[in-house]
Amino acid sequence: MVVVEVNWRSRRSLGLLVVLALAAGAGVTWWLTRPDPPYGERVSGPHGAYPATLGTGAPAAPGRFVRKVDNAVAVDGGLSFHEADENDDGSPEGLTARSLRTGTTYWHYQRGGNVIRAVRVVDGTAVLRYDDGTLIAIDARSAERRWRQDLPKKSRFGDRLWIANGVVATYTGDKLIAVDLTTGKRSWTADVPASCDLGDVVFTVGTAFGVEATCGSGPRPEDVVLGIDVRRGTVRWRHPDWMGGLRYLPLTDHTVYAPHWNNADRGAVIDVSGTKPVIRTAPNPDLAWDGQNRTTVLTTFGKEGEQWKENNVLRARGTDDGRVRWTRHAPKDRRFGRALVADGRVYVVEQPQESRQRGPARLLALDLTSGKPLHTAPVPVPDREDSEDSLDVRAVRDGIVAVGWQGVPGDAAGSLTIVSD
């Protein structure tokens, strides 16, 4: 009996060894002959549960320090997004999504041998434009590629991306084209007069991109802004462009504020609800602004017309009449950064008069209508490299306020301090 049992066990062990050897051989064969990942893509993650947002909309009482975030190109939902995998010349090839709460990597995406030229994140979708003209859309929750669109390899304006109402616009050479944010299918190529040379996209309102253009031939062509329909690519309206490259501010779905209209002493409210814009002007000598509900909030210096002082006054104006609604002065030896307006509240950082000075920074939430303080809390200063700029509110969304050194208003790029309720 013992001999039989030993033989049976020996045969079973030998069979298992043969099966394992065959499996190992098959694995080696697959590894050596496996196809390259599609489009050179490498995806790691998602890792763990999806990091939920810290709240909805603009926080009413932002006083809880969440964490500092370094070199973010965007913040959306519960994630911050960072370019990564630099090649030999320091250009990024990949994008990493990290948890806002912990800083841990949630997923990482890379296309080997291709350099990222632009990133935009909106409504849970990250859109990447690479130097070979390829557009890639990635689902922020699953890290799966939603779509790919191959465009001609022609760059302009740094291969920038603009997103409005479910449409992604970008340039291929001298043509502005659009793809659908959900499907990635080509939507249109902007249908503009042959005499118009398109420039930058300077604002979006309702269903149109506002695009700078130079139209006409001869010694005196006209500088205009064309309203390009986001769904059709046709021109909905046009108005003179007297902003000199400065930022326009969308106030509603059909109105835009131009703080320096034709000269430094005039502002304008432009109603683009019809086929012909209606332009109303009003005095406005202020410099940095944001707004909502037909009210602009401006960070400026002391009394109007005074010699230069650091930004120590917040001033709210009605965009219809240009009248001052309220004024708030910074304490002595203090100043304000650029403010952002969201959900009827003004968010701004009060800080030392000069960025070289050490001292506490405070995040203020003010009522847009009256200017009365609704909430005040200390805010840790984010890291910087030799910055002499102001500490600005860079983004307000999804239950967080992002504070960082001076940059493009509403753009969450850079080193940030994240604060929540």
Side-chain angles (χ1 to χ4, degrees):
M1 293 295 296
V2 173
V3 174
V4 173
E5 184 176 356
V6 170
N7 288 341
W8 176 78
R9 288 181 176 177
S10 299
R11 291 172 183 174
R12 185 177 65 176
S13 299
L14 180 60
L16 288 174
L17 289 174
V18 171
V19 170
L20 291 174
L22 291 174
V28 171
T29 301
W30 173 85
W31 178 260
L32 295 175
T33 61
R34 75 192 190 285
D36 291 332
Y39 317 119
E41 294 175 320
R42 296 286 194 279
V43 179
S44 173
H47 305 291
Y50 176 69
T53 61
L54 280 80
T56 58
R64 180 172 64 90
F65 169 62
V66 179
R67 59 184 303 271
K68 291 182 181 180
V69 172
D70 292 329
N71 301 318
V73 295
V75 172
D76 186 72
L79 297 170
S80 60
F81 297 84
H82 309 258
E83 293 178 343
D85 295 320
E86 295 183 350
N87 60 17
D88 293 339
D89 66 0
S91 300
E93 297 179 348
L95 186 70
T96 299
R98 296 175 182 160
S99 168
L100 272 182
R101 287 181 174 83
T102 65
T104 56
T105 296
Y106 179 58
W107 54 254
H108 177 73
Y109 175 91
Q110 180 185 6
R111 286 184 72 221
N114 296 278
V115 174
I116 293 176
R117 294 301 187 192
V119 178
R120 287 292 180 270
V121 184
V122 61
D123 297 334
T125 300
V127 182
L128 287 66
R129 175 159 180 169
Y130 279 88
D131 59 351
D132 61 355
T134 302
L135 291 184
I136 297 287
I138 304 170
D139 188 298
R141 181 179 291 270
S142 67
E144 295 180 353
R145 175 166 47 81
R146 288 185 170 178
W147 50 259
R148 167 193 173 102
Q149 176 64 247
D150 294 316
L151 303 176
K153 189 178 180 180
K154 299 177 181 178
S155 64
R156 185 177 178 182
F157 301 114
D159 296 320
R160 294 177 62 187
L161 299 169
W162 299 275
I163 299 178
N165 290 336
V167 171
V168 182
T170 190
Y171 273 99
T172 58
D174 60 354
K175 297 184 182 298
L176 182 68
I177 66 98
V179 302
D180 186 276
L181 178 61
T182 302
T183 66
K185 294 181 179 179
R186 289 279 292 267
S187 297
W188 45 258
T189 298
D191 182 15
V192 300
S195 63
C196 292
D197 181 19
L198 294 183
D200 214 346
V201 176
V202 290
F203 62 82
T204 60
V205 291
T207 58
F209 294 102
V211 185
E212 288 181 325
T214 301
C215 297
S217 57
R220 301 187 67 178
E222 182 184 12
D223 291 329
V224 299
V225 173
L226 302 178
I228 307 297
D229 189 288
V230 298
R231 289 299 177 184
R232 299 179 181 178
T234 54
V235 177
R236 294 171 57 97
W237 41 259
R238 64 186 285 170
H239 66 70
D241 181 21
W242 289 332
M243 285 288 288
L246 295 175
R247 183 177 71 104
Y248 290 81
L249 170 67
L251 291 175
T252 71
D253 283 344
H254 60 273
T255 56
V256 178
Y257 179 54
H260 298 286
W261 188 249
N262 201 17
N263 59 64
D265 296 325
R266 306 293 290 179
V269 177
I270 308 170
D271 189 324
V272 294
S273 57
T275 57
K276 184 177 181 179
V278 177
I279 301 173
R280 300 188 308 279
T281 61
N284 187 359
D286 297 309
L287 294 181
W289 66 94
D290 196 26
Q292 192 179 61
N293 300 336
R294 310 194 77 83
T295 300
T296 58
V297 177
L298 308 105
T299 308
T300 184
F301 0 99
K303 294 181 180 179
E304 296 172 4
E306 270 192 352
Q307 188 177 2
W308 166 264
K309 293 179 67 176
E310 289 288 359
N311 300 332
N312 59 359
V313 173
L314 284 181
R315 183 176 290 117
R317 291 181 182 271
T319 56
D320 292 326
D321 54 18
R323 293 182 179 179
V324 175
R325 302 289 173 83
W326 53 263
T327 299
R328 182 179 180 87
H329 293 266
K332 184 180 179 180
D333 296 327
R334 306 279 287 175
R335 63 169 172 161
F336 295 116
R338 185 188 292 270
L340 284 185
V341 180
D343 293 354
R345 290 184 288 270
V346 182
Y347 297 86
V348 66
V349 178
E350 178 201 294
Q351 56 201 283
Q353 184 67 254
E354 297 182 8
S355 60
R356 295 185 299 273
Q357 296 175 337
R358 293 184 178 275
R362 298 195 306 161
L363 176 63
L364 279 61
L366 310 174
D367 180 74
L368 175 61
T369 302
S370 65
K372 293 181 179 180
L374 302 174
H375 184 75
T376 302
V379 58
V381 176
D383 298 331
R384 67 171 186 241
E385 294 181 2
D386 300 324
S387 173
E388 298 298 332
D389 296 325
S390 64
L391 195 59
D392 296 346
V393 175
R394 300 291 297 276
V396 181
R397 63 170 72 95
D398 301 325
I400 64 102
V401 176
V403 173
W405 294 102
Q406 184 175 332
V408 178
D411 184 358
S415 297
L416 306 171
T417 290
I418 306 297
V419 184
S420 184
D421 280 333

